Amino acid sequence: MTLAKRKSKLALSRDNRWRLRKFVADYGVYIALLILLLVAALLTPKLFAVDTIAVVMRQASQLGIVAIGQTLVLLVAGLDLSVGGIFIMTSVVVAEVGNGRNEMIAPAILTALALGALVGLGNGLLVTKRRVPPFVATLGMLVLVKGATQAYTRGVPGGFVPEALGIVNQSWFVLSVPLALWLGLNAIFIFVLRGTTYGRRVYAVGSNIEAARLSGIPVDAIRISVYVLGSLFAVASGIVLTGYVLYVDRFIGSGLDLDSIAAAVVGGTAFIGGRGGLLGTIAGVLIIQILSTMVVLLGLDVEVQFIIKGLVILGAVTLYSVASTES
Amino acid sequence: MNEPILEMRGISKSFAGVQALKNVSFRCQAGLVYGLVGENGAGKSTLMKILAGAYKADAGEIIYKGMPRETASTGEIIDSGISIIYQELALVPQMSVAENIFLGREPRNRLGILDLGQLHARSNELLSRLGVALDTRLSVSELTIAQQQLVEIAKALSQDADLIVMDEPSAILAGSELDQLFDIIAALKAQGVTIVYISHRLEEVFRIADEVTVLKDGEVVDSRPISQLDRPTLVRLMVGRSLDEIFPQTDHEQGDLVLSAEDIETDTILDGVSLRLHAGEILGIAGMVGSGRTELARALFGADPLTHGEVRLVGKSLQWKTPSQAIRAGLVLVPEDRKSQGLFTALSVRINITIPILSRLSRLGIVRRPAEEGVVINAQQRLSIVMTSPEQETQYLSGGNQQKVVLAKWLETEPTVIILDEPTRGVDVGAKFEIYKLMRQLNDRGIAIIMISSELPEIIGMSDRILVMNDGRVAGELSRENADEERIIELATLGSAEAQLA
Amino acid sequence: MTISTLQDTTLDTLRYGKEQIMKKLFTLLLAISLALGVGAVSLAQDDDMSGMSFEFTEEQIAASPYLQSVLSRLEQSYDTSEFAKDGPYRIAFAAQGTSNAWSALMDAHAYWYVEHLGEDVVSELLYGDAQASADVQVPQVEDLLAQEPDALILVPMGAAALSAPVERAMMQGVPVVLCASAVETDNFVTEVGTNLWVVGASLAQYVVDQLDGEGNIVIMTGIPGVTTSDIMEEGADAVFAANPGIHVLDKQPGFWSPADAKGIMETWLVQYGDDIDGIWSGGAQMSQGIISAYLDAGLDIPPIGGGEWQNGFLRLALEHDIKYLAWQYPNAMITMCIDAALQILAGEPTPRFIDFSGVIPNSEPFTDVEGADYFREDWSDDVHGPITMPDEKLEELGFKVMDDGG
Amino acid sequence: MNGLGGIMGGQPQARALFLRRNGPIIMVYAFILLLIVIGATQSERFLSERNLANVARQSAFLGIVALGQMLVILTAGIDLSVGSLVKVSILVSAIVMNGENANVVPAILAALALGVLVGLVHGFLINELRIAPFIVTLASLVILKGIGLTISSSPVGKASREVMMFYVQKVGPLPVIALMFFVLVLLTMLLLRYTVFGKHLVAVGGHVEVAHLSGVPVKRTRYAVYVLCSLTAVVTGLLWLSRMGVGDPAIGDGIELQTITAVIIGGTSLFGGRASVLGTLGGVLLLGITANLLVMLGVSQFIQGLIQGVIIVAAVALYKQEGD
């Protein structure tokens, strides 16, 4: 009798703990987003105009798409710093292959995706086969990709971005092409992560690589595939960005690499892998984007944005850290 | 009566809602050897970690040398004269032997600079007191496990401790090394040093202890002088039942040969191991840590590639190179270290259990949720896993339930052979008993089991046959009838050739 | 040699198609060797070279150290006899480097011009690629100086960061020609560029004129902290401050990036919408982003003070009939920098400030009225005019000349 | 030292172990040698005293921070904020100094105080709030950059004449700044080999749990190492001030990645517990000589980035890393 009673009591306290932890992990970032929106309602009501929402969502999509890939890579306890190089490479490829001709858009995109996959493969092989820490492997690839793009273009990307790529700037009220793409990719990959064997394996590899190996999961193949996916999402973001500016830009997407990590981390994806997911990242992306829009709406200096962004990252991880720390 | 050097009163401690220690009191007098015994998970190590300052007790007080001890850092506690030799070796692999021995208390010269001459001289002196010849400049990662254990002991000696806690030092020491250890303990005792000796090898306890304290399920069951105890009494105190009650017996017939390994070798320590396993049989594998037991399991499972020999799963007669091939062929491994190799602690029970059988539960790569939930409910009932929901993360389950989740995960693959590496480590007695029952049930269904264990009663109680490993080789095979602890230890420490000579 | 050697030569290459290039190359070489003196011929009929002329007030000069420096240096000459030596010369060129097309074209002009001058004039062009970063450029200048060049041409990536290296070069006896931007010290021989304060002010004046002195405007600056951007901003601020009818709604940096510029413009558009009557922009790439944001929003585009002769910008502006004033910052000014270095090494007195405006042909500001004359269908978007080297060099560099469109 | 050496195990694989441990260092120096041979044969000025002094001085700028970074990485940490901290310290010291020789000491003190403060904040967040060093210092990178630009987005302050002269001072043929760097290299070697603190760094990085149980003051060690790393950054900031004469916020971005690259190329493990001062010195020199040589040889600017990328990827890929 007493034993049973004690057991149920123990179970209850364990129960509360993991439920609290899970609540913070799953919804903490949404609470933060809600608070941010309340602050915005007081300071910048303009944020809630349909036009503003449309702009915020479209800009968020550019970050959001690459953040999907970054989240996947973080889930297997990785990191991808090479995305910045991929943006530039994509922009150059679209201009060089596309060369102003709309019928060349598809070949241009395919070329960019193929090259992106190659970069991802390089990242994955370095991390799995040579056991290079992801930070260093993807940093090396970043320098390499930038250098290769530079060598190929000899400093000057030739060609033109085909005008039809401007389709990504189309929108119907709030729904723009990038937003649709972002939401669509999120829907697909939320399902992939939750409902498919592949998704399970991604989490398993990130959560405990040795256990995953002993469970018969081809861990190297999973990790390589995730790096390839990460690069492909970077290409997708690069294409949206290129269509956005319709111009080859050497600095295209600068800052989005670190922002994508920040978005995932703020969204609750753990740096050590296996924990978090895309729902959190969506909120992380929105927080970062709304903050930068508010800075413009308030007419604040850009430097303030850096400080706020840093504090938001720290605040979010502190929350997760405190919530997950055992007694 | 003398003043006790140490008195721990009413110590309680819980982890994530699991009570590890309940109102435990423990006292020691100077210059005596105390045996602290109890099954795995009884709370011995937790108690000692509280003593070491590595954990903070939830309740209770510690009086050391007549003074109530306030919370202190591990360094201050070491300085106060308490040193602990941990069960999991507490050495920094990248540092040298000498640096490890004096880690945290490095000798310095007047300028505050590390005195390397002294560091090595004193280390050598300590090691020679242990009768060990070891280059103090070698880094610890280059030592064998037994050598590392000796370094640990040297480290404790270096601390000029008044109280030394040894947490299962004998688990990895063998023969002459063990005799040396007992000599050292005797010498220390003569110098007035108090020793707390944690072990579940009872003969050792009877050999050296003056007083024995028994912990069970986080509570002190009894504490009395060794002279008032005999073996059966002590066993009953530890486990609460007699051995016959713990290890369920069934009559089952040995079936056909299902698994055979011929002269297998890997890049690890394994050196030409052969074995045969029949349906419905439990083959126990005993041996010291580092004898190649775990490596054998990994080799059979395809986790480490074979460099020589072959493994055959009879009936399928195929060779595998990866765990996934082994799993598909019907052979699974429940690894030794649950947390680092078996469990996805951050993931839910549901995901943990279904990971190896996802392809069966999915169509076109999409998991069929109802089928999956069915599996989880089935597993929960079969193994009576205590959890609040299939979505609960496994890190919030108790050790026993975690182990059941790992077992459930592998049982769902419907294997013909299961390798269990230390299946009851860190599991409470109740869960242990359930695991034994489960093993018998599996046997009855014709499933063959290889069980690796450090716990000799478990090996002897459960196995139909016992292979004893030593230095990567099979040192001997014992049948159930002629197996006893002495015989196994002899084989495990001396190896077959020496054992025959002896 | 004087600083105005090559001016007449370039028109032809601009005006004629590539089929004529071989022939033109000869003409070109001939023209260069013959041409002396200033021949500022304009592509368009607009000969008004004073497009950027500007009347400053005393207060404005007093408030701007930059203006004081430029205005005084315009009248000074540097006695370069201490640097006189016989050629051929080894000239170090610390470039902005492989960062954008403007800079790549400047490098191309430099290599072409040195080749064109011949080995007996410049035996070696030592090159440093700063990747548009002061961090990279400071050590690079040291590397270049370690090779003991006869002169240093520097496109400074930071006015402050490069000041001390410039002083050290001068101390070492290496004359320094600053190209396209200034440093904080006065201890250099000469600067080739234009009065950026006036550029900023003229662009602002254009906006003011377009609005008849009344209206709301937004200001998009380049990169805060970069001299070119800061000085232009200073000029713009002075003009807008002098026109009380102009209300500045907001000012944000667009980092000379079309993407950043578009993002900010989108936010402005939802915030102010039709209230924006005019835009001041610190660069053509940002103007592209601004136009793009307007096009997406489907709003009418107000006059923009801040285009450049950049083919992509002109394409957009022509297509959408945008009113703008374009300023110019020709990468071909590097040829003047090399000329200046040669002049110094010849020991001839050298003006302390050399304005390319009116020296390099077609480098004057222009508006949408003349825009069509500058636009080149066969150039890719990235090309910044004017180009004074032959078209082949442009193609060699990888600027795809657009196909016929299939 | 003792006669017992190697009786029990360890010795047979000694050579293999030596190679495994020192392989990256040997490789880096072989690479440097190769570059020197190329430089000496292809450019008459590469081996000139002047250029060598130049390379040595430039190496100090990356090298000093790389030493701090290496110590942090040794404890299985990382410091991404050093670049931003260099930026802020340039601005702070330039403003305090304001061209006055009398203000040199206050300026140095202000910069050092800044370094200590930043290091303590890092230590606090990592120790007490248990946030991963990567995230802590990433946030700090962004925040410090913001603070730097808030202080001033355009050049401010001024170095005193003496401070500017410091940059060109020499002892014999060797620039003082290079000498300073080499002394720091030596001190770091001594620190790791002969001090208790050095051993504690290894212990914390090698096995933090063991270190804790052995009485190593883990938290204090972490505080100290992050403070040290921040101090190397502010010292580099002061050197930049001496180099430029003014506080320019344009400086500093990206230094963190260069230092990490140098440290990793030098064979230090990102997993902690193993570091090599000589290797880090090699990594710094390799990057420095490569940059110098690219300018010296007039290598086409278009392929410079590619060459650097290939060197980094090759260096990290050639040696299979431990851990996982």
Side-chain angles (χ1 to χ4, degrees):
Chain A
M1 267 296 132
T2 48
L3 188 79
K5 215 167 159 186
R6 202 181 65 216
K7 254 192 181 151
S8 74
K9 213 171 135 193
L10 286 182
L12 194 70
S13 84
R14 280 204 296 276
D15 186 31
N16 289 339
R17 191 176 288 273
W18 78 264
R19 279 192 199 285
L20 179 70
R21 165 72 184 76
K22 213 166 158 47
F23 182 80
V24 172
D26 292 351
Y27 304 109
V29 66
Y30 280 91
I31 294 168
L33 181 60
L34 206 67
I35 294 170
L36 180 65
L37 289 176
L38 286 175
V39 172
L42 290 172
L43 294 180
T44 55
K46 187 86 196 169
L47 187 73
F48 298 97
V50 175
D51 290 354
T52 320
I53 294 172
V55 166
V56 168
M57 295 308 277
R58 188 160 61 185
Q59 294 179 2
S61 310
Q62 295 161 2
L63 170 60
I65 293 169
V66 64
I68 296 176
Q70 193 67 259
T71 305
L72 291 176
V73 176
L74 283 171
L75 279 179
V76 295
L79 182 71
D80 193 349
L81 296 177
S82 69
V83 292
I86 294 179
F87 295 148
I88 297 164
M89 184 192 78
T90 304
S91 160
V92 166
V93 166
V94 167
E96 292 265 355
V97 178
N99 199 19
R101 290 188 292 177
N102 293 339
E103 69 274 15
M104 292 303 284
I105 289 180
I109 290 177
L110 288 178
T111 312
L113 287 172
L115 288 173
L118 214 59
V119 176
L121 191 66
N123 285 332
L125 289 176
L126 282 174
V127 170
T128 55
K129 303 300 177 195
R130 305 306 305 172
R131 298 203 190 153
V132 181
F135 182 91
V136 184
T138 57
L139 173 63
M141 287 303 279
L142 170 70
V143 179
L144 190 64
V145 170
K146 274 188 173 172
T149 309
Q150 193 85 75
Y152 176 72
T153 61
R154 307 189 60 214
V156 190
F160 312 77
V161 177
E163 255 174 53
L165 200 62
I167 186 154
V168 302
N169 299 320
Q170 292 289 322
S171 64
W172 302 269
F173 297 105
V174 171
L175 188 71
S176 54
V177 174
L179 179 59
L181 189 63
W182 182 37
L183 293 179
L185 287 171
N186 263 319
I188 292 170
F189 275 84
I190 286 172
F191 174 73
V192 165
L193 283 180
R194 293 188 160 202
T196 69
T197 52
Y198 179 75
R200 297 295 176 78
R201 288 175 174 166
V202 166
Y203 274 100
V205 168
S207 171
N208 186 340
I209 191 165
E210 191 53 31
R213 190 174 283 134
L214 292 177
S215 299
I217 295 173
V219 290
D220 284 358
I222 296 282
R223 285 201 289 172
I224 292 171
S225 72
V226 163
Y227 279 98
V228 170
L229 276 175
S231 295
L232 292 179
F233 278 107
V235 170
S237 251
I239 289 167
V240 169
L241 277 167
T242 308
Y244 179 66
V245 295
L246 282 179
Y247 177 75
V248 200
D249 181 8
R250 184 182 183 255
F251 297 104
I252 200 162
S254 65
L256 282 194
D257 41 1
L258 288 187
D259 277 358
S260 66
I261 298 171
V265 167
V266 167
T269 295
F271 208 62
I272 48 164
R275 193 179 280 257
L278 292 175
L279 275 179
T281 302
I282 293 172
V285 166
L286 287 176
I287 287 176
I288 287 176
Q289 190 56 52
I290 288 171
L291 278 173
S292 51
T293 304
M294 279 175 68
V295 166
V296 177
L297 286 178
L298 288 169
L300 295 176
D301 290 338
V302 269
E303 41 267 30
V304 179
Q305 200 176 324
F306 287 115
I307 299 174
I308 294 174
K309 199 185 283 175
L311 291 176
V312 166
I313 296 173
L314 277 185
V317 289
T318 304
L319 188 69
Y320 297 125
S321 154
V322 168
S324 67
T325 303
E326 301 277 320
S327 55
Chain B
M1 223 182 183
N2 291 332
E3 271 294 298
I5 180 169
L6 169 74
E7 194 166 0
M8 299 177 83
R9 280 190 206 144
I11 305 287
S12 293
K13 173 74 183 168
S14 60
F15 295 103
V18 181
Q19 190 104 31
L21 290 176
K22 261 165 300 186
N23 195 25
V24 169
S25 294
F26 179 68
R27 51 184 282 161
C28 304
Q29 279 175 27
L32 293 181
V33 177
Y34 290 83
L36 186 58
V37 299
E39 291 209 306
N40 279 327
K44 300 166 296 188
S45 299
T46 308
L47 185 65
M48 291 304 115
K49 282 198 170 154
I50 287 170
L51 178 60
Y55 294 159
K56 275 193 190 71
D58 300 337
E61 58 176 342
I62 299 174
I63 295 155
Y64 179 64
K65 293 182 178 168
M67 301 279 287
R69 196 182 78 190
E70 308 298 327
T71 47
S73 73
T74 48
E76 287 163 350
I77 288 168
I78 291 170
D79 290 340
S80 77
I82 297 177
S83 38
I84 312 231
I85 301 169
Y86 291 96
Q87 190 177 2
E88 307 101 25
L89 294 168
L91 299 172
V92 180
Q94 294 92 338
M95 298 179 78
S96 74
V97 169
E99 286 167 0
N100 264 292
I101 290 175
F102 286 98
L103 180 58
R105 308 164 23 268
E106 298 80 357
R108 314 169 193 219
N109 62 19
R110 262 163 296 157
L111 298 171
I113 304 292
L114 197 60
D115 190 336
L116 283 181
Q118 262 219 49
L119 183 73
H120 286 281
R122 283 173 59 189
S123 302
N124 273 318
E125 186 195 310
L126 287 164
L127 287 170
S128 52
R129 255 171 79 191
L130 292 171
V132 187
L134 201 57
D135 186 341
T136 53
R137 289 162 303 186
L138 281 177
S139 92
V140 161
S141 59
E142 296 160 46
L143 303 182
T144 66
I145 290 176
Q147 286 172 327
Q148 292 181 16
Q149 176 73 287
L150 292 166
V151 174
E152 276 276 345
I153 293 169
K155 181 174 168 181
L157 288 180
S158 78
Q159 293 165 352
D160 296 323
D162 302 310
L163 177 75
I164 299 180
V165 179
M166 299 185 181
D167 194 354
E168 305 213 21
S170 57
I172 42 183
L173 287 186
S176 60
E177 293 160 339
L178 202 56
D179 289 336
Q180 268 171 26
L181 176 65
F182 291 151
D183 291 346
I184 292 163
I185 289 174
L188 288 170
K189 184 177 161 183
Q191 290 163 23
V193 176
T194 311
I195 310 276
V196 178
Y197 190 91
I198 301 177
S199 178
H200 51 241
R201 284 201 203 152
L202 301 183
E203 67 276 23
E204 291 172 6
V205 175
F206 280 102
R207 190 167 150 192
I208 59 168
D210 297 303
E211 201 177 310
V212 176
T213 298
V214 181
L215 276 178
K216 182 172 171 300
D217 290 347
E219 285 174 293
V220 174
V221 179
D222 202 349
S223 192
R224 58 172 96 162
I226 195 84
S227 53
Q228 299 173 15
L229 279 169
D230 58 20
R231 257 186 84 109
T233 319
L234 191 51
V235 169
R236 205 173 47 250
L237 287 172
M238 276 168 65
V239 298
R241 320 175 170 77
S242 74
L243 284 175
D244 296 338
E245 286 174 73
I246 302 171
F247 301 112
Q249 300 301 320
T250 53
D251 298 316
H252 59 267
E253 297 194 357
Q254 225 179 52
D256 301 329
L257 182 71
V258 288
L259 177 79
S260 68
E262 288 297 331
D263 202 22
I264 57 172
E265 286 173 18
T266 59
D267 277 338
T268 60
I269 190 175
L270 275 198
D271 183 14
V273 174
S274 302
L275 62 79
R276 299 163 87 71
L277 183 70
H278 302 86
E281 181 186 36
I282 295 179
L283 176 65
I285 297 187
M288 297 292 170
V289 171
S291 64
R293 305 175 314 187
T294 297
E295 289 78 4
L296 174 60
R298 289 179 60 92
L300 292 173
F301 188 50
D304 295 336
L306 296 184
T307 53
H308 186 261
E310 64 172 345
V311 178
R312 285 169 165 274
L313 197 60
V314 180
K316 310 222 165 134
S317 185
L318 49 82
Q319 225 18 97
W320 45 88
K321 291 194 179 66
T322 66
S324 67
Q325 288 170 334
I327 294 164
R328 251 172 294 160
L331 181 143
V332 301
L333 166 68
V334 181
E336 159 188 38
D337 187 342
R338 193 167 55 228
K339 283 238 168 74
S340 77
Q341 299 173 325
L343 210 60
F344 304 103
T345 51
L347 302 183
S348 68
V349 173
R350 173 173 57 85
I351 291 178
N352 264 282
I353 290 179
T354 56
I355 258 292
I357 52 163
L358 280 178
S359 43
R360 202 180 81 206
L361 296 177
S362 60
R363 197 178 291 142
L364 298 173
I366 296 167
V367 181
R368 288 174 297 157
R369 196 61 181 263
E372 187 184 19
E373 265 153 19
V375 165
V376 176
I377 289 166
N378 182 32
Q380 184 192 6
Q381 284 165 354
R382 190 152 89 175
L383 293 165
S384 49
I385 302 170
V386 179
M387 59 187 185
T388 51
S389 140
E391 300 311 310
Q392 189 170 10
E393 286 172 21
T394 51
Q395 62 183 319
Y396 298 108
L397 297 177
S398 71
N401 283 306
Q402 286 180 344
Q403 184 70 332
K404 284 184 198 169
V405 168
V406 176
L407 281 171
K409 159 173 133 181
W410 289 117
L411 292 180
E412 288 304 327
T413 66
E414 290 166 2
T416 48
V417 176
I418 301 182
I419 305 172
L420 299 170
D421 196 353
E422 300 282 9
T424 61
R425 179 180 284 180
V427 156
D428 62 53
V429 176
K432 222 175 206 180
F433 188 52
E434 284 174 43
I435 289 170
Y436 295 144
K437 270 203 314 207
L438 180 71
M439 287 168 69
R440 287 294 177 217
Q441 284 165 16
L442 296 172
N443 267 179
D444 292 342
R445 279 161 48 195
I447 294 171
I449 295 174
I450 294 177
M451 179 181 69
I452 297 169
S453 175
S454 301
E455 295 198 38
L456 294 181
E458 179 173 285
I459 284 273
I460 294 166
M462 292 297 294
S463 308
D464 297 306
R465 276 185 302 137
I466 299 163
L467 284 188
V468 186
M469 302 258 327
N470 182 310
D471 199 19
R473 282 184 291 262
V474 176
E477 182 176 327
L478 301 169
S479 68
R480 182 189 195 99
E481 290 70 33
N482 57 23
D484 60 46
E485 295 198 10
E486 265 167 55
R487 184 79 190 131
I488 292 172
I489 289 170
E490 197 177 331
L491 283 169
T493 54
L494 296 176
S496 54
E498 292 90 335
Q500 276 155 17
L501 289 175
Chain C
M1 272 243 178
T2 71
I3 51 168
S4 49
T5 318
L6 75 153
Q7 314 319 332
D8 293 4
T9 65
T10 53
L11 293 184
D12 311 281
T13 54
L14 292 174
R15 201 179 281 158
Y16 298 101
K18 54 186 169 180
E19 69 275 12
Q20 282 178 291
I21 276 164
M22 286 313 289
K23 204 172 99 192
K24 283 290 130 194
L25 190 61
F26 266 100
T27 326
L28 181 91
L29 292 174
L30 197 64
I32 286 165
S33 50
L34 293 178
L36 290 164
V38 180
V41 183
S42 171
L43 178 69
Q45 276 70 43
D46 177 18
D47 275 2
D48 179 15
M49 284 169 47
S50 58
M52 284 271 171
S53 71
F54 196 82
E55 301 292 327
F56 327 99
T57 63
E58 290 299 323
E59 294 79 41
Q60 283 167 347
I61 295 173
S64 169
Y66 175 85
L67 270 186
Q68 293 157 28
S69 166
V70 168
L71 294 178
S72 68
R73 279 191 285 125
L74 269 172
E75 284 152 24
Q76 292 167 10
S77 168
Y78 201 106
D79 176 8
T80 60
S81 51
E82 55 173 312
F83 303 117
K85 56 169 86 169
D86 292 333
Y89 304 112
R90 296 169 64 250
I91 294 180
F93 174 32
Q96 176 180 327
T98 48
S99 54
N100 59 27
W102 182 86
S103 161
L105 284 167
M106 174 177 264
D107 295 355
H109 272 109
Y111 280 114
W112 162 75
Y113 192 54
V114 164
E115 190 190 328
H116 161 75
L117 288 171
E119 281 203 4
D120 49 343
V121 180
V122 178
S123 60
E124 201 179 347
L125 186 71
L126 310 166
Y127 177 85
D129 174 354
Q131 296 159 37
S133 150
D135 296 71
V136 179
Q137 193 171 50
V138 172
Q140 219 157 48
V141 168
E142 290 166 1
D143 287 341
L144 288 169
L145 290 176
Q147 302 192 69
E148 291 161 0
D150 297 316
L152 171 68
I153 297 172
L154 171 69
V155 183
M157 291 297 108
L162 271 301
S163 295
V166 163
E167 291 196 0
R168 275 184 213 112
M170 294 293 287
M171 235 155 60
Q172 191 188 315
V174 178
V176 178
V177 177
L178 299 177
C179 208
S181 186
V183 291
E184 298 227 314
T185 172
D186 241 8
N187 189 7
F188 54 86
V189 178
T190 183
E191 177 191 348
V192 177
T194 195
N195 189 330
L196 291 166
W197 197 99
V198 173
V199 170
S202 305
L203 294 174
Q205 192 59 51
Y206 169 80
V207 176
V208 172
D209 292 346
Q210 291 290 318
L211 306 186
D212 292 327
E214 295 282 337
N216 298 319
I217 60 148
V218 288
I219 297 177
M220 192 173 293
T221 60
I223 300 175
V226 173
T227 319
T228 315
S229 174
D230 289 351
I231 302 296
M232 284 174 69
E233 184 184 340
E234 203 183 305
D237 286 346
V239 169
F240 290 130
N243 287 278
I246 297 292
H247 176 53
V248 179
L249 293 170
D250 197 6
K251 184 201 276 184
Q252 291 280 345
F255 293 90
W256 281 322
S257 145
D260 285 0
K262 187 173 179 180
I264 291 165
M265 195 66 230
E266 283 180 340
T267 310
W268 276 341
L269 282 179
V270 299
Q271 199 172 5
Y272 307 114
D274 282 333
D275 290 346
I276 301 172
D277 304 316
I279 297 167
W280 187 95
S281 154
Q285 286 167 330
M286 296 193 296
S287 301
Q288 279 184 303
I290 289 168
I291 294 169
S292 180
Y294 267 101
L295 292 174
D296 290 352
L299 295 170
D300 290 337
I301 305 171
I304 301 172
E308 279 169 85
W309 183 357
Q310 189 230 19
N311 223 34
F313 168 76
L314 293 184
R315 179 192 309 280
L316 261 182
L318 276 173
E319 266 173 39
H320 302 286
D321 215 5
I322 288 153
K323 291 185 82 64
Y324 64 86
L325 172 66
W327 62 293
Q328 292 215 43
Y329 217 43
N331 43 66
M333 77 175 97
I334 184 62
T335 58
M336 292 175 64
C337 302
I338 295 172
D339 283 339
L342 295 175
Q343 190 178 350
I344 292 163
L345 292 169
E348 295 169 24
T350 308
R352 298 224 46 212
F353 190 93
I354 302 171
D355 197 329
F356 61 75
S357 207
V359 180
I360 292 184
N362 308 318
S363 62
E364 292 74 40
F366 58 92
T367 66
D368 43 286
V369 179
E370 307 96 36
D373 299 327
Y374 287 82
F375 177 64
R376 289 280 303 260
E377 189 63 49
D378 57 341
W379 287 357
S380 63
D381 280 1
D382 248 336
V383 181
H384 293 246
I387 301 294
T388 59
M389 60 185 178
D391 263 8
E392 291 98 330
K393 293 283 170 190
L394 205 56
E395 273 189 76
E396 261 173 43
L397 201 63
F399 280 100
K400 284 218 183 85
V401 173
M402 204 186 199
D403 299 343
D404 295 353
Chain D
M1 199 186 242
N2 65 61
L4 302 170
I7 293 173
M8 293 175 74
Q11 209 67 335
Q13 342 93 300
R15 184 174 301 164
L17 263 169
F18 176 81
L19 271 181
R20 186 162 62 90
R21 238 191 249 169
N22 298 302
I25 304 174
I26 296 167
M27 192 182 74
V28 164
Y29 283 96
F31 221 132
I32 290 174
L33 203 67
L34 179 73
L35 289 182
I36 291 175
V37 170
I38 293 173
T41 52
Q42 302 296 311
S43 157
E44 65 237 55
R45 284 184 175 79
F46 177 72
L47 283 184
S48 67
E49 183 186 312
R50 195 183 156 140
N51 190 46
L52 291 182
N54 173 44
V55 172
R57 181 166 52 200
Q58 289 180 1
S59 299
F61 282 78
L62 180 58
I64 291 174
V65 196
L67 289 175
Q69 186 71 263
M70 181 194 71
L71 293 181
V72 167
I73 290 177
L74 174 59
T75 66
I78 200 158
D79 192 343
L80 297 176
S81 72
V82 288
S84 295
L85 185 53
V86 166
K87 186 195 298 285
V88 177
S89 61
I90 293 172
L91 295 173
V92 167
S93 53
I95 290 171
V96 175
M97 204 176 291
N98 201 22
E100 300 292 328
N101 203 34
N103 293 337
V104 170
V105 173
I108 292 175
L109 289 180
L112 293 180
L114 173 74
V116 171
L117 180 70
V118 170
L120 288 179
V121 170
H122 289 165
F124 175 80
L125 294 169
I126 293 164
N127 275 331
E128 317 299 341
L129 297 183
R130 299 185 191 205
I131 306 175
F134 184 93
I135 310 263
V136 167
T137 56
L138 174 68
S140 168
L141 175 158
V142 182
I143 293 172
L144 283 170
K145 191 172 177 178
I147 290 176
L149 291 173
T150 307
I151 293 174
S152 175
S153 61
S154 53
V156 284
K158 199 165 169 25
S160 76
R161 199 75 215 156
E162 282 74 7
V163 167
M164 284 180 73
M165 289 313 291
F166 178 73
Y167 184 72
V168 287
Q169 254 152 37
K170 290 186 173 184
V171 177
L174 199 62
V176 173
I177 289 178
L179 190 69
M180 199 175 130
F181 171 47
F182 293 133
V183 167
L184 283 176
V185 167
L186 208 65
L187 284 178
T188 312
M189 275 172 143
L190 296 177
L191 174 92
L192 288 183
R193 197 162 298 174
Y194 295 111
T195 71
V196 173
F197 176 63
K199 299 299 169 193
H200 288 180
L201 291 177
V202 178
V204 169
H207 201 321
V208 66
E209 194 60 24
V210 171
H212 176 60
L213 292 175
S214 304
V216 171
V218 173
K219 285 187 178 182
R220 223 189 308 151
T221 307
R222 278 211 198 107
Y223 274 112
V225 82
Y226 281 93
V227 167
L228 262 185
C229 184
S230 294
L231 285 176
T232 61
V234 299
V235 166
T236 306
L238 288 166
L239 293 184
W240 267 104
L241 180 61
S242 154
R243 194 183 211 176
M244 300 182 303
V246 270
D248 188 338
I251 299 297
D253 300 315
I255 290 178
E256 59 281 351
L257 296 184
Q258 287 174 42
T259 56
I260 293 165
T261 307
V263 170
I264 299 296
I265 288 179
T268 293
S269 161
L270 257 193
F271 299 105
R274 189 157 285 158
S276 160
V277 180
L278 271 185
T280 300
L281 175 65
V284 168
L285 291 177
L286 181 62
L287 295 183
I289 293 175
T290 307
N292 179 261
L293 210 53
L294 288 173
V295 176
M296 285 281 158
L297 301 183
V299 174
S300 159
Q301 71 271 26
F302 306 122
I303 61 166
Q304 289 188 6
L306 189 60
I307 291 174
Q308 282 166 346
V310 168
I311 288 178
I312 296 174
V313 171
V316 296
L318 270 177
Y319 269 87
K320 197 163 181 168
Q321 312 270 324
E322 293 161 50
D324 220 0

